[in-house]
Amino acid sequence: MPRMQNEKGEALYYNVIMKNGKIQYALKAIGDTVILGRDRQKRKYRAFAQEAQAERYLQRYGFTSAIY
């Protein structure tokens, strides 16, 4: 799972998974990071049905690949 991080220090994992026979794109928060869901709920996990949706979310909140 690639680790992503933004300038605020928030971090998450981004992974492609198979769920219910379909490919989904999952975001999993690390530590105190929250992922905003639909209707702005604060969550620790969110799955997207389309890769473009997940990529857009990452871009909107400034997440890029973390350097270890």
Side-chain angles (χ1 to χ4, degrees):
M1 287 193 274
R3 181 182 166 139
M4 313 286 285
Q5 192 167 353
N6 66 10
E7 291 181 4
K8 293 190 242 177
E10 298 173 325
L12 55 79
Y13 291 116
Y14 173 61
N15 200 15
V16 179
I17 60 171
M18 181 72 79
K19 188 172 182 181
N20 297 328
K22 297 178 183 175
I23 294 176
Q24 290 192 350
Y25 305 89
L27 303 179
K28 176 129 176 74
I30 301 171
D32 293 336
T33 303
V34 293
I35 298 171
L36 295 178
R38 296 175 69 145
D39 299 326
R40 313 287 291 173
Q41 326 88 315
K42 295 178 181 177
R43 302 187 174 266
K44 297 300 273 180
Y45 174 86
R46 184 168 178 195
F48 293 90
Q50 298 175 1
E51 184 178 15
Q53 294 170 331
E55 294 289 334
R56 181 68 182 114
Y57 181 91
L58 294 171
Q59 181 183 10
R60 182 180 309 123
Y61 293 102
F63 285 98
T64 58
S65 294
I67 298 174
Y68 297 101

